[in-house]
Amino acid sequence: DVKVTQSSRYLVKRTGEKVFLECVQDMDHENMFWYRQDPGLGLRLIYFSYDVKMKEKGDIPEGYSVSREKKERFSLILESASTNQTSMYLCASRVGGPIYEQYFGPGTRLTVT
Amino acid sequence: GENVEQHPSTLSVQEGDSAVIKCTYSDSASNYFPWYKQELGKRPQLIIDIRSNVGEKKDQRIAVTLNKTAKHFSLHITETQPEDSAVYFCAASRDLNYGGSQGNLIFGKGTKLSVKP
């Protein structure tokens, strides 16, 4: 049974703080993703990684960075949090190659005040 | 790049009725089309998917149809039940063998389905 976990379900931070969101998967998946979910906007891809140490920008990377030092862990970093980054953040992982199902984590509801 | 449009954004049906959610995509090279269900406060989960070499796929009360010529695909839920109430997302992608970002899923904006008892 695939398990994708995220470090926090709820997080409240102040404007200007550096924020770390962690995602861990236990199924040896090559590919990992960070999405942002906002009402009416669906799931928007922030960053993704197809391998350790590899990262690529998604559709809305501005204000974010990522780190993937180990295969099972993919971190999203908000260098200087702003109120417009208040959102639900979802991590996902999948096996690399022709198997397509993405498994999502439970999400982190981040509020920046 | 690929764009996926999903309609309607909200859908309300009576228990026992059918529900249909439609998506269109722009990239004719897309060949994988999954549907995810997200219940309130929970993570999205895959409920059914279809590849471009198949026109229709069924799994109990849910079915997905694909029209590659028209570049649209639909989710059909029959005999709806209150537990079908959720947000449904369609998505499209190319084969991962293309490499890079072209293997990523492009999601529609979601449909909030409400099933009234």
Short mmCIF file of all heavy atoms in Angstrom, two decimals, chain B residues 54-104:
data_model
loop_
_atom_site.label_atom_id
_atom_site.label_comp_id
_atom_site.label_asym_id
_atom_site.label_seq_id
_atom_site.Cartn_x
_atom_site.Cartn_y
_atom_site.Cartn_z
N VAL B 54 -8.26 2.85 -26.21
CA VAL B 54 -9.54 2.33 -25.74
C VAL B 54 -10.57 3.44 -25.81
O VAL B 54 -10.27 4.59 -25.48
CB VAL B 54 -9.41 1.82 -24.30
CG1 VAL B 54 -10.75 1.38 -23.74
CG2 VAL B 54 -8.40 0.68 -24.22
N GLY B 55 -11.79 3.12 -26.24
CA GLY B 55 -12.82 4.14 -26.35
C GLY B 55 -13.69 4.28 -25.11
O GLY B 55 -14.26 5.34 -24.87
N GLU B 56 -13.77 3.19 -24.32
CA GLU B 56 -14.63 3.21 -23.15
C GLU B 56 -14.11 2.22 -22.13
O GLU B 56 -13.56 1.17 -22.48
CB GLU B 56 -16.08 2.85 -23.52
CG GLU B 56 -17.05 2.91 -22.36
CD GLU B 56 -18.49 2.67 -22.76
OE1 GLU B 56 -18.74 2.45 -23.96
OE2 GLU B 56 -19.37 2.71 -21.89
N LYS B 57 -14.29 2.57 -20.87
CA LYS B 57 -13.88 1.68 -19.79
C LYS B 57 -14.88 1.80 -18.66
O LYS B 57 -15.31 2.92 -18.34
CB LYS B 57 -12.48 2.06 -19.30
CG LYS B 57 -11.89 1.15 -18.25
CD LYS B 57 -10.45 1.60 -17.94
CE LYS B 57 -9.82 0.75 -16.88
NZ LYS B 57 -8.43 1.23 -16.58
N LYS B 58 -15.27 0.67 -18.09
CA LYS B 58 -16.27 0.68 -17.01
C LYS B 58 -15.72 -0.01 -15.77
O LYS B 58 -14.94 -0.96 -15.85
CB LYS B 58 -17.53 -0.07 -17.46
CG LYS B 58 -18.44 0.72 -18.38
CD LYS B 58 -19.76 0.00 -18.59
CE LYS B 58 -20.69 0.16 -17.40
NZ LYS B 58 -22.04 -0.38 -17.66
N ASP B 59 -16.17 0.50 -14.62
CA ASP B 59 -15.85 -0.13 -13.34
C ASP B 59 -17.05 0.06 -12.44
O ASP B 59 -17.21 1.11 -11.83
CB ASP B 59 -14.59 0.49 -12.74
CG ASP B 59 -14.17 -0.19 -11.44
OD1 ASP B 59 -14.82 -1.18 -11.04
OD2 ASP B 59 -13.20 0.27 -10.82
N GLN B 60 -17.90 -0.92 -12.41
CA GLN B 60 -19.12 -0.89 -11.61
C GLN B 60 -19.99 0.28 -12.04
O GLN B 60 -20.45 0.33 -13.18
CB GLN B 60 -18.79 -0.88 -10.12
CG GLN B 60 -18.03 -2.12 -9.69
CD GLN B 60 -17.70 -2.14 -8.20
OE1 GLN B 60 -18.23 -1.37 -7.41
NE2 GLN B 60 -16.81 -3.04 -7.81
N ARG B 61 -20.20 1.27 -11.17
CA ARG B 61 -21.10 2.37 -11.51
C ARG B 61 -20.42 3.52 -12.24
O ARG B 61 -21.08 4.49 -12.61
CB ARG B 61 -21.76 2.91 -10.23
CG ARG B 61 -22.68 1.94 -9.54
CD ARG B 61 -23.39 2.60 -8.36
NE ARG B 61 -22.47 3.08 -7.34
CZ ARG B 61 -22.18 4.37 -7.13
NH1 ARG B 61 -22.74 5.32 -7.88
NH2 ARG B 61 -21.34 4.72 -6.18
N ILE B 62 -19.14 3.45 -12.43
CA ILE B 62 -18.46 4.54 -13.13
C ILE B 62 -17.92 4.06 -14.47
O ILE B 62 -17.54 2.90 -14.64
CB ILE B 62 -17.33 5.17 -12.29
CG1 ILE B 62 -16.26 4.13 -11.94
CG2 ILE B 62 -17.89 5.81 -11.03
CD1 ILE B 62 -15.05 4.76 -11.26
N ALA B 63 -17.91 4.98 -15.43
CA ALA B 63 -17.40 4.68 -16.76
C ALA B 63 -16.75 5.93 -17.31
O ALA B 63 -17.11 7.06 -16.94
CB ALA B 63 -18.52 4.22 -17.68
N VAL B 64 -15.78 5.74 -18.16
CA VAL B 64 -15.16 6.85 -18.85
C VAL B 64 -15.19 6.55 -20.35
O VAL B 64 -14.98 5.42 -20.77
CB VAL B 64 -13.71 7.10 -18.35
CG1 VAL B 64 -12.85 5.87 -18.53
CG2 VAL B 64 -13.09 8.29 -19.03
N THR B 65 -15.52 7.58 -21.13
CA THR B 65 -15.51 7.46 -22.58
C THR B 65 -14.52 8.45 -23.15
O THR B 65 -14.30 9.53 -22.58
CB THR B 65 -16.91 7.74 -23.17
OG1 THR B 65 -17.33 9.05 -22.77
CG2 THR B 65 -17.92 6.72 -22.67
N LEU B 66 -13.91 8.10 -24.26
CA LEU B 66 -12.90 8.94 -24.89
C LEU B 66 -13.20 9.06 -26.37
O LEU B 66 -13.43 8.06 -27.05
CB LEU B 66 -11.52 8.32 -24.69
CG LEU B 66 -10.36 8.95 -25.47
CD1 LEU B 66 -10.10 10.38 -24.99
CD2 LEU B 66 -9.09 8.10 -25.33
N ASN B 67 -13.20 10.29 -26.86
CA ASN B 67 -13.35 10.57 -28.28
C ASN B 67 -12.08 11.30 -28.71
O ASN B 67 -11.95 12.51 -28.52
CB ASN B 67 -14.60 11.41 -28.53
CG ASN B 67 -14.83 11.67 -30.01
OD1 ASN B 67 -13.90 11.76 -30.81
ND2 ASN B 67 -16.09 11.77 -30.40
N LYS B 68 -11.14 10.59 -29.28
CA LYS B 68 -9.85 11.19 -29.65
C LYS B 68 -9.98 12.18 -30.78
O LYS B 68 -9.25 13.17 -30.86
CB LYS B 68 -8.85 10.10 -30.01
CG LYS B 68 -8.29 9.35 -28.84
CD LYS B 68 -6.80 9.06 -29.04
CE LYS B 68 -5.93 10.27 -28.84
NZ LYS B 68 -4.50 9.97 -28.98
N THR B 69 -10.92 11.94 -31.68
CA THR B 69 -11.09 12.85 -32.82
C THR B 69 -11.53 14.23 -32.32
O THR B 69 -11.01 15.26 -32.76
CB THR B 69 -12.13 12.29 -33.80
OG1 THR B 69 -11.70 10.99 -34.22
CG2 THR B 69 -12.29 13.19 -35.00
N ALA B 70 -12.49 14.21 -31.42
CA ALA B 70 -13.01 15.46 -30.88
C ALA B 70 -12.18 15.97 -29.70
O ALA B 70 -12.41 17.07 -29.21
CB ALA B 70 -14.46 15.28 -30.46
N LYS B 71 -11.25 15.18 -29.23
CA LYS B 71 -10.40 15.52 -28.08
C LYS B 71 -11.24 15.82 -26.85
O LYS B 71 -11.07 16.87 -26.18
CB LYS B 71 -9.44 16.67 -28.42
CG LYS B 71 -8.38 16.24 -29.44
CD LYS B 71 -7.26 17.25 -29.58
CE LYS B 71 -7.67 18.42 -30.41
NZ LYS B 71 -6.59 19.36 -30.71
N HIS B 72 -12.16 14.91 -26.54
CA HIS B 72 -12.85 15.05 -25.27
C HIS B 72 -13.11 13.70 -24.65
O HIS B 72 -13.14 12.67 -25.32
CB HIS B 72 -14.12 15.90 -25.38
CG HIS B 72 -15.23 15.31 -26.18
ND1 HIS B 72 -15.99 14.25 -25.77
CD2 HIS B 72 -15.75 15.68 -27.38
CE1 HIS B 72 -16.90 13.98 -26.66
NE2 HIS B 72 -16.77 14.82 -27.65
N PHE B 73 -13.22 13.70 -23.33
CA PHE B 73 -13.49 12.49 -22.56
C PHE B 73 -14.44 12.84 -21.42
O PHE B 73 -14.50 14.00 -20.99
CB PHE B 73 -12.19 11.84 -22.06
CG PHE B 73 -11.28 12.71 -21.24
CD1 PHE B 73 -11.11 12.46 -19.88
CD2 PHE B 73 -10.57 13.76 -21.80
CE1 PHE B 73 -10.27 13.22 -19.11
CE2 PHE B 73 -9.72 14.55 -21.04
CZ PHE B 73 -9.56 14.28 -19.69
N SER B 74 -15.19 11.86 -20.99
CA SER B 74 -16.25 12.11 -20.02
C SER B 74 -16.27 11.04 -18.94
O SER B 74 -15.93 9.88 -19.21
CB SER B 74 -17.62 12.14 -20.71
OG SER B 74 -17.68 13.14 -21.70
N LEU B 75 -16.70 11.45 -17.77
CA LEU B 75 -16.91 10.53 -16.64
C LEU B 75 -18.42 10.38 -16.45
O LEU B 75 -19.14 11.39 -16.39
CB LEU B 75 -16.27 11.09 -15.37
CG LEU B 75 -16.47 10.25 -14.10
CD1 LEU B 75 -15.64 8.96 -14.18
CD2 LEU B 75 -16.08 11.05 -12.87
N HIS B 76 -18.86 9.14 -16.37
CA HIS B 76 -20.28 8.86 -16.17
C HIS B 76 -20.44 8.09 -14.86
O HIS B 76 -19.78 7.06 -14.67
CB HIS B 76 -20.82 8.01 -17.33
CG HIS B 76 -20.62 8.61 -18.68
ND1 HIS B 76 -21.64 9.18 -19.41
CD2 HIS B 76 -19.49 8.75 -19.44
CE1 HIS B 76 -21.15 9.63 -20.57
NE2 HIS B 76 -19.86 9.38 -20.60
N ILE B 77 -21.29 8.59 -14.01
CA ILE B 77 -21.61 7.89 -12.76
C ILE B 77 -23.09 7.57 -12.78
O ILE B 77 -23.92 8.46 -12.92
CB ILE B 77 -21.27 8.74 -11.51
CG1 ILE B 77 -19.82 9.23 -11.56
CG2 ILE B 77 -21.51 7.92 -10.24
CD1 ILE B 77 -19.46 10.20 -10.44
N THR B 78 -23.42 6.30 -12.69
CA THR B 78 -24.83 5.90 -12.68
C THR B 78 -25.26 5.58 -11.25
O THR B 78 -24.43 5.32 -10.38
CB THR B 78 -25.04 4.65 -13.57
OG1 THR B 78 -24.19 3.59 -13.08
CG2 THR B 78 -24.69 4.94 -15.02
N GLU B 79 -26.58 5.64 -11.06
CA GLU B 79 -27.17 5.32 -9.74
C GLU B 79 -26.40 6.01 -8.62
O GLU B 79 -25.93 5.36 -7.68
CB GLU B 79 -27.19 3.81 -9.53
CG GLU B 79 -27.99 3.06 -10.57
CD GLU B 79 -27.82 1.54 -10.47
OE1 GLU B 79 -27.47 1.06 -9.38
OE2 GLU B 79 -28.01 0.86 -11.49
N THR B 80 -26.29 7.31 -8.72
CA THR B 80 -25.48 8.07 -7.76
C THR B 80 -25.97 7.86 -6.33
O THR B 80 -27.17 7.68 -6.06
CB THR B 80 -25.49 9.57 -8.10
OG1 THR B 80 -26.84 10.02 -8.19
CG2 THR B 80 -24.74 9.84 -9.38
N GLN B 81 -25.00 7.92 -5.42
CA GLN B 81 -25.25 7.76 -4.00
C GLN B 81 -24.64 8.94 -3.25
O GLN B 81 -23.72 9.58 -3.78
CB GLN B 81 -24.64 6.44 -3.53
CG GLN B 81 -25.20 5.23 -4.24
CD GLN B 81 -24.41 3.96 -4.00
OE1 GLN B 81 -23.45 3.93 -3.23
NE2 GLN B 81 -24.80 2.89 -4.67
N PRO B 82 -25.11 9.26 -2.06
CA PRO B 82 -24.55 10.39 -1.32
C PRO B 82 -23.03 10.32 -1.17
O PRO B 82 -22.36 11.35 -1.20
CB PRO B 82 -25.24 10.29 0.04
CG PRO B 82 -26.56 9.66 -0.27
CD PRO B 82 -26.27 8.67 -1.37
N GLU B 83 -22.47 9.13 -1.08
CA GLU B 83 -21.01 9.00 -0.94
C GLU B 83 -20.25 9.32 -2.22
O GLU B 83 -19.01 9.38 -2.22
CB GLU B 83 -20.62 7.61 -0.43
CG GLU B 83 -21.19 6.48 -1.22
CD GLU B 83 -22.48 5.93 -0.62
OE1 GLU B 83 -23.30 6.73 -0.12
OE2 GLU B 83 -22.65 4.70 -0.66
N ASP B 84 -20.98 9.56 -3.32
CA ASP B 84 -20.33 10.02 -4.54
C ASP B 84 -20.06 11.53 -4.49
O ASP B 84 -19.36 12.07 -5.35
CB ASP B 84 -21.19 9.71 -5.77
CG ASP B 84 -21.35 8.23 -6.02
OD1 ASP B 84 -20.40 7.47 -5.71
OD2 ASP B 84 -22.42 7.82 -6.51
N SER B 85 -20.64 12.20 -3.50
CA SER B 85 -20.42 13.65 -3.36
C SER B 85 -18.94 13.92 -3.11
O SER B 85 -18.35 13.39 -2.16
CB SER B 85 -21.27 14.21 -2.21
OG SER B 85 -22.64 14.08 -2.48
N ALA B 86 -18.35 14.75 -3.98
CA ALA B 86 -16.91 15.01 -3.91
C ALA B 86 -16.56 15.98 -5.04
O ALA B 86 -17.41 16.36 -5.84
CB ALA B 86 -16.11 13.72 -4.08
N VAL B 87 -15.29 16.36 -5.09
CA VAL B 87 -14.77 17.10 -6.24
C VAL B 87 -14.06 16.09 -7.14
O VAL B 87 -13.25 15.29 -6.67
CB VAL B 87 -13.80 18.21 -5.82
CG1 VAL B 87 -13.23 18.92 -7.05
CG2 VAL B 87 -14.52 19.23 -4.92
N TYR B 88 -14.38 16.14 -8.42
CA TYR B 88 -13.79 15.24 -9.40
C TYR B 88 -12.88 16.04 -10.33
O TYR B 88 -13.26 17.09 -10.84
CB TYR B 88 -14.88 14.53 -10.20
CG TYR B 88 -15.67 13.55 -9.37
CD1 TYR B 88 -16.71 14.00 -8.55
CD2 TYR B 88 -15.38 12.20 -9.38
CE1 TYR B 88 -17.43 13.12 -7.77
CE2 TYR B 88 -16.09 11.30 -8.60
CZ TYR B 88 -17.12 11.77 -7.80
OH TYR B 88 -17.82 10.88 -7.02
N PHE B 89 -11.68 15.51 -10.55
CA PHE B 89 -10.72 16.15 -11.44
C PHE B 89 -10.42 15.22 -12.61
O PHE B 89 -10.12 14.05 -12.41
CB PHE B 89 -9.39 16.44 -10.73
CG PHE B 89 -9.48 17.47 -9.65
CD1 PHE B 89 -9.61 17.10 -8.32
CD2 PHE B 89 -9.40 18.82 -9.96
CE1 PHE B 89 -9.67 18.06 -7.32
CE2 PHE B 89 -9.46 19.78 -8.97
CZ PHE B 89 -9.60 19.41 -7.64
N CYS B 90 -10.46 15.77 -13.82
CA CYS B 90 -9.94 15.03 -14.96
C CYS B 90 -8.51 15.50 -15.21
O CYS B 90 -8.09 16.55 -14.72
CB CYS B 90 -10.79 15.25 -16.20
SG CYS B 90 -10.81 16.96 -16.83
N ALA B 91 -7.77 14.72 -15.95
CA ALA B 91 -6.39 15.09 -16.28
C ALA B 91 -5.99 14.42 -17.59
O ALA B 91 -6.63 13.46 -18.04
CB ALA B 91 -5.43 14.69 -15.17
N ALA B 92 -4.95 14.94 -18.21
CA ALA B 92 -4.43 14.38 -19.45
C ALA B 92 -2.92 14.47 -19.45
O ALA B 92 -2.34 15.38 -18.86
CB ALA B 92 -5.01 15.12 -20.66
N SER B 93 -2.29 13.51 -20.12
CA SER B 93 -0.84 13.59 -20.28
C SER B 93 -0.40 12.78 -21.49
O SER B 93 -1.12 11.92 -21.98
CB SER B 93 -0.10 13.09 -19.02
OG SER B 93 -0.10 11.68 -18.97
N ARG B 94 0.82 13.08 -21.91
CA ARG B 94 1.47 12.28 -22.93
C ARG B 94 2.16 11.10 -22.26
O ARG B 94 2.29 11.04 -21.05
CB ARG B 94 2.54 13.10 -23.65
CG ARG B 94 2.02 14.19 -24.52
CD ARG B 94 3.19 14.83 -25.24
NE ARG B 94 2.76 15.83 -26.19
CZ ARG B 94 3.58 16.41 -27.05
NH1 ARG B 94 4.86 16.08 -27.05
NH2 ARG B 94 3.15 17.30 -27.90
N ASP B 95 2.61 10.20 -23.09
CA ASP B 95 3.38 9.07 -22.63
C ASP B 95 4.65 9.56 -21.95
O ASP B 95 5.29 10.48 -22.43
CB ASP B 95 3.76 8.17 -23.81
CG ASP B 95 4.28 6.82 -23.38
OD1 ASP B 95 5.34 6.78 -22.73
OD2 ASP B 95 3.62 5.83 -23.68
N LEU B 96 5.04 8.95 -20.86
CA LEU B 96 6.26 9.36 -20.15
C LEU B 96 7.50 9.20 -21.00
O LEU B 96 8.51 9.82 -20.74
CB LEU B 96 6.43 8.55 -18.87
CG LEU B 96 5.58 8.98 -17.69
CD1 LEU B 96 5.81 8.05 -16.52
CD2 LEU B 96 5.91 10.40 -17.29
N ASN B 97 7.45 8.36 -22.02
CA ASN B 97 8.62 8.15 -22.85
C ASN B 97 9.03 9.41 -23.61
O ASN B 97 10.11 9.48 -24.16
CB ASN B 97 8.40 7.00 -23.82
CG ASN B 97 8.34 5.67 -23.12
OD1 ASN B 97 8.94 5.50 -22.06
ND2 ASN B 97 7.63 4.73 -23.66
N TYR B 98 8.12 10.39 -23.67
CA TYR B 98 8.50 11.66 -24.27
C TYR B 98 9.54 12.37 -23.41
O TYR B 98 10.30 13.18 -23.88
CB TYR B 98 7.27 12.56 -24.43
CG TYR B 98 6.48 12.32 -25.67
CD1 TYR B 98 5.54 11.30 -25.72
CD2 TYR B 98 6.67 13.09 -26.80
CE1 TYR B 98 4.81 11.07 -26.87
CE2 TYR B 98 5.94 12.87 -27.95
CZ TYR B 98 5.01 11.86 -27.98
OH TYR B 98 4.28 11.65 -29.13
N GLY B 99 9.52 12.06 -22.14
CA GLY B 99 10.50 12.65 -21.24
C GLY B 99 10.13 14.04 -20.78
O GLY B 99 9.27 14.69 -21.33
N GLY B 100 10.83 14.49 -19.77
CA GLY B 100 10.67 15.84 -19.27
C GLY B 100 9.25 16.13 -18.81
O GLY B 100 8.52 15.25 -18.41
N SER B 101 8.84 17.37 -18.90
CA SER B 101 7.57 17.78 -18.35
C SER B 101 6.40 17.25 -19.16
O SER B 101 5.27 17.30 -18.71
CB SER B 101 7.50 19.30 -18.27
OG SER B 101 7.56 19.84 -19.58
N GLN B 102 6.64 16.73 -20.36
CA GLN B 102 5.52 16.27 -21.16
C GLN B 102 4.89 15.02 -20.60
O GLN B 102 3.84 14.59 -21.05
CB GLN B 102 5.99 16.05 -22.59
CG GLN B 102 6.36 17.37 -23.28
CD GLN B 102 7.07 17.16 -24.58
OE1 GLN B 102 7.44 16.06 -24.94
NE2 GLN B 102 7.28 18.24 -25.32
N GLY B 103 5.52 14.42 -19.61
CA GLY B 103 4.91 13.28 -18.96
C GLY B 103 4.07 13.68 -17.77
O GLY B 103 3.50 12.82 -17.11
N ASN B 104 3.96 14.97 -17.48
CA ASN B 104 3.19 15.40 -16.32
C ASN B 104 1.70 15.47 -16.62
O ASN B 104 1.29 15.75 -17.74
CB ASN B 104 3.65 16.79 -15.88
CG ASN B 104 5.05 16.78 -15.31
OD1 ASN B 104 5.57 15.74 -14.93
ND2 ASN B 104 5.66 17.95 -15.26
#
